[in-house]
Amino acid sequence: MTNDKYRTAVDAAAIYSETDLHGMITYINDQFCAISGYSREELIGANHRLLNSGHHSPEFFRNLWRTIADGRIWKGEICNRRKDGSMYWVNSTIVPIMDDMASRVEKYISIRFDVTEKQELLEALQWRASHDVLTALPNRVYLHDRMHQAIAAAHRHQRSLAVCILDLDGFKAVNDRFGHAIGDMLLIEVANRLTREMRTEDLLARLGGDEFVLLLDQVDELLLPAALQRILDVIAVPFHIDGNLLNVAGSLGVSIYPKDNEGPDTLLRHADQAMYEAKQNGRNRYRFFDVSISNETRAAFQTIECMRHALERDELELHYQPKVNLRSGTVTGFEALLRWNHPARGMLLPDTFLPAVERTDLIIDIGEWVIDRALQQIESWAGEGHHRPVSVNIAARHFQLPDFVERLRILLGRHPSVSPHYLDIEILESTAIDNLEHVSQCLIDCQKIGITFSLDDFGTGFSSLNYLKRLPAQTIKIDKSFIRDILHDKEDLALSEAIINLSRTFEREVIAEGVETSLQESMLLGLGCYLAQGYGIAAPMPAHEVAEWAAHYEFTHK
């Protein structure tokens, strides 16, 4: 009767099994047989290792067995292998059952639910976020992560790596003459040829259009010119595409680390600059970036100095873009967006000045200025009777400071009348992934104060269930690149829906960025996403325009 008590209590949709202390299966229900593909006779008496997919490490299972052997419940997701060799995922709860004297574990029961479809959707999202759909090569997001790793390894082992940007000469002529379909087929074949030239330690990525990046690890600078020439020679061989003989060539720009001792973004910019020099010198050739005469480096330094003066002279200001509830027609908060009121060039958007300072400590000073001004604005609005939450964007260099939480406490202390829960901090998904343990603890510490967090640009990085579980952000922001084409791109629609469903599963709010049309609003409402922001709702505006806009919006949408 005791066994029946456990078995009959399980929902009919659950996958149920019982094992002895050695992992031998002693009981299974019909759902277990259905999902695994094994018969009852094949499973009873067999060890649970029969289902091992090889996806998890030995340490994963050691931790599992250590937990249940101690009499504690284990919960988690496990990838198993069916009889036919295919994989399936289950959300599993394993419960140790004590004997009647409650002195030792007698057996284990396991209750599982099939989450394969959810995992497949997530894997599709991860792949799309990190790969170019046309060529299946890694994209800029994947490349950026790999470059961080390669630079760290090169520094650690005192070796060199080369970052090469390849641009096809004559590709536009092919597109114009033969059409985009032939052009796409040519890009695929170029990718295939280049892939065959890569060593296992190298990486080939596509930035978009006809631009490719070759990340060559552990390079010998004496042998590198010959390798670069081979790449150009491979591209110069005529292509036979759909009955057409096509001729293109390549221009290569190369930056070498640590000779060019910079981060991924700067190395790419320097390689790009060298590539244009190759084009200007006749094409079908390579050029190395000359660190000693970098005009771009000097320009970046000048921008940093100008930004430092702009901060000192109070030339920076915040504009506020509304976040609204599409279903109720209410304004739920605002995102504070930085602007530079340049004395000569007028109002500048952050893309024109922030990239130059993101890798310097100046970005920390700017970030703290933004938080302070946002708190000041919240305080001002509250004095007018309006309680409006405000979110601010924090750069990776700033957020990953060891004393970030203490710095935040000091800023909050300057505005004691502001309740911390009116401040929301937005961090990029890539920032969270780069230092998951620190970021997770930082979020927890900040939330103890009362501050909320949003995970920005979700879907463009290496999104995973593990990150969502370990990052206690209250809000997930769907990147505008998905929303832009949601009406006519089935993949963007499916991925947006997946993000919305994942957010609901993990009890997170979800907000869509970049909403521009009423049709997009209707689509999002139908998918169950009620929060949105974008130029279709309102452009970022100075603080003094907010009250009038908010009153008009809520009046016309209720």
Side-chain angles (χ1 to χ4, degrees):
M1 293 299 291
T2 303
N3 286 341
D4 290 341
K5 176 180 69 174
Y6 299 121
R7 298 167 187 171
T8 56
V10 176
D11 185 273
I15 303 157
Y16 179 87
S17 68
E18 297 176 8
T19 60
D20 64 17
L21 299 184
H22 305 290
M24 308 301 289
I25 301 172
T26 58
Y27 177 83
I28 53 171
N29 67 355
D30 293 340
Q31 286 76 13
F32 196 109
C33 294
I35 195 170
S36 69
Y38 288 98
S39 67
R40 191 179 304 274
E41 291 73 23
E42 290 173 307
L43 290 169
I44 298 297
N47 194 286
H48 233 284
R49 285 193 296 270
L50 177 70
L51 304 173
N52 192 337
S53 65
H55 179 83
H56 304 287
S57 67
E59 184 61 26
F60 174 89
F61 289 107
R62 282 195 290 270
N63 289 337
L64 185 159
W65 278 101
R66 192 179 300 120
T67 299
I68 60 178
D70 288 344
R72 294 177 285 131
I73 296 173
W74 184 91
K75 293 183 178 182
E77 291 188 353
I78 300 178
C79 180
N80 286 332
R81 188 183 299 276
R82 297 185 179 91
K83 184 178 180 179
D84 64 9
S86 61
M87 307 285 196
Y88 65 97
W89 284 81
V90 288
N91 191 314
S92 183
T93 301
I94 303 176
V95 182
I97 302 300
M98 312 301 287
D99 63 16
D100 292 338
M101 302 299 292
S103 59
R104 64 182 180 86
V105 176
E106 183 180 48
K107 64 178 179 179
Y108 306 110
I109 66 172
S110 178
I111 302 167
R112 303 174 177 85
F113 292 92
D114 184 7
V115 292
T116 305
E117 184 176 353
K118 180 177 70 172
Q119 188 66 24
E120 288 173 348
L121 278 172
L122 183 63
E123 288 173 358
L125 174 66
Q126 291 174 311
W127 190 92
R128 171 70 182 274
S130 60
H131 286 79
D132 168 53
V133 176
L134 177 65
T135 62
L137 293 176
N139 64 10
R140 188 183 295 271
V141 172
Y142 189 107
L143 171 68
H144 198 270
D145 181 72
R146 179 69 175 271
M147 286 181 70
H148 272 295
Q149 298 174 27
I151 289 169
H155 176 75
R156 187 165 57 250
H157 299 293
Q158 297 184 333
R159 61 195 187 204
S160 298
L161 63 89
V163 178
C164 314
I165 288 188
L166 171 72
D167 186 86
L168 297 182
D169 301 321
F171 178 74
K172 184 178 184 301
V174 171
N175 258 348
D176 292 344
R177 181 179 176 186
F178 298 100
H180 290 286
I182 295 296
D184 285 349
M185 293 169 68
L186 174 59
L187 290 173
I188 293 169
E189 186 54 35
V190 168
N192 291 338
R193 286 193 188 181
L194 292 173
T195 298
R196 290 192 290 269
E197 291 298 310
M198 296 295 100
R199 304 169 300 172
T200 55
E201 62 265 35
D202 299 332
L203 177 74
L204 175 65
R206 182 185 176 217
L207 293 187
D210 58 341
E211 274 196 344
F212 297 84
V213 174
L214 297 83
L215 179 61
L216 309 180
D217 205 356
Q218 304 178 44
V219 296
D220 184 330
E221 292 187 47
L222 295 177
L223 301 177
L224 182 57
L228 297 175
Q229 189 58 54
R230 282 198 303 273
I231 291 168
L232 294 175
D233 292 344
V234 162
I235 299 301
V237 176
F239 292 82
H240 295 269
I241 305 291
D242 198 27
N244 302 295
L245 187 65
L246 307 179
N247 288 281
V248 293
S251 293
L252 264 174
V254 187
S255 58
I256 298 177
Y257 179 91
K259 186 179 292 182
D260 190 3
N261 192 14
E262 297 290 349
D265 291 333
T266 305
L267 285 171
L268 284 169
R269 286 200 300 272
H270 288 175
D272 193 54
Q273 183 174 324
M275 182 269 291
Y276 277 105
E277 290 179 9
K279 281 186 177 293
Q280 291 167 1
N281 283 276
R283 308 191 176 199
N284 192 26
R285 62 194 63 216
Y286 60 83
R287 283 289 182 270
F288 290 96
F289 176 76
D290 191 337
V291 181
S292 62
I293 57 172
S294 169
N295 291 329
E296 190 171 349
T297 299
R298 288 197 294 270
F301 178 79
Q302 290 172 355
T303 301
I304 292 168
E305 288 304 300
C306 289
M307 280 297 300
R308 185 172 285 111
H309 291 314
L311 192 59
E312 294 169 355
R313 297 167 183 166
D314 205 27
E315 295 173 1
L316 303 181
E317 62 183 74
L318 295 181
H319 285 197
Y320 297 85
Q321 185 172 44
K323 302 177 183 180
V324 302
N325 187 309
L326 299 173
R327 185 167 58 171
S328 66
T330 57
V331 179
T332 60
F334 291 83
E335 180 177 0
L337 296 166
L338 187 62
R339 299 291 186 264
W340 180 5
N341 195 353
H342 194 283
R345 299 167 59 192
M347 196 67 72
L348 300 181
L349 297 177
D351 286 347
T352 63
F353 56 87
L354 279 186
V357 300
E358 281 180 333
R359 296 180 62 251
T360 73
D361 285 342
L362 181 58
I363 196 67
I364 298 169
D365 297 332
I366 293 172
E368 296 193 346
W369 179 90
V370 169
I371 294 172
D372 186 70
R373 285 299 173 93
L375 291 170
Q376 182 178 316
Q377 188 58 59
I378 294 170
E379 197 172 41
S380 176
W381 281 332
E384 299 168 1
H386 301 292
H387 300 286
R388 297 180 173 128
V390 173
S391 61
V392 296
N393 296 279
I394 296 300
R397 190 181 186 91
H398 187 184
F399 187 74
Q400 292 176 354
L401 287 173
D403 61 344
F404 176 80
V405 178
E406 188 55 37
R407 288 169 173 262
L408 197 54
R409 289 182 191 273
I410 293 171
L411 289 168
L412 287 167
R414 296 178 187 171
H415 306 274
S417 66
V418 176
S419 175
H421 75 268
Y422 282 103
L423 179 66
D424 179 80
I425 291 179
E426 294 190 10
I427 57 171
L428 293 175
E429 180 188 357
S430 56
T431 299
I433 293 169
D434 283 346
N435 196 345
L436 189 60
E437 294 295 335
H438 168 77
V439 171
S440 179
Q441 187 57 52
C442 198
L443 262 62
I444 292 170
D445 292 341
C446 289
Q447 286 170 343
K448 289 177 182 177
I449 303 172
I451 293 166
T452 61
F453 277 85
S454 296
L455 200 57
D456 200 7
D457 290 354
F458 188 79
T460 62
F462 298 98
S463 319
S464 79
L465 292 173
N466 182 46
Y467 298 141
L468 282 180
K469 285 189 289 187
R470 296 178 65 185
L471 293 171
Q474 284 88 345
T475 304
I476 305 299
K477 302 192 77 174
I478 307 176
D479 185 64
K480 59 186 176 185
S481 63
F482 296 109
I483 303 303
R484 180 180 59 239
D485 298 324
I486 195 172
L487 297 174
H488 51 81
D489 188 316
K490 292 182 179 179
E491 290 185 351
D492 283 345
L493 174 60
L495 291 171
S496 297
E497 186 174 12
I499 294 171
I500 293 166
N501 290 334
L502 283 172
S503 300
R504 186 181 297 117
T505 298
F506 286 95
E507 298 181 339
R508 312 289 168 83
E509 283 193 331
V510 60
I511 181 169
E513 291 183 302
V515 176
E516 296 181 355
T517 68
S518 57
L519 288 176
Q520 289 172 338
E521 292 181 13
S522 298
M523 176 66 78
L524 289 166
L525 282 169
L527 294 175
C529 177
Y530 305 126
L531 303 181
Q533 68 181 103
Y535 278 72
I537 297 165
M541 64 191 78
H544 67 267
E545 296 179 9
V546 164
E548 182 177 351
W549 179 90
H552 179 265
Y553 181 87
E554 295 192 335
F555 177 77
T556 57
H557 285 77
K558 284 188 176 179

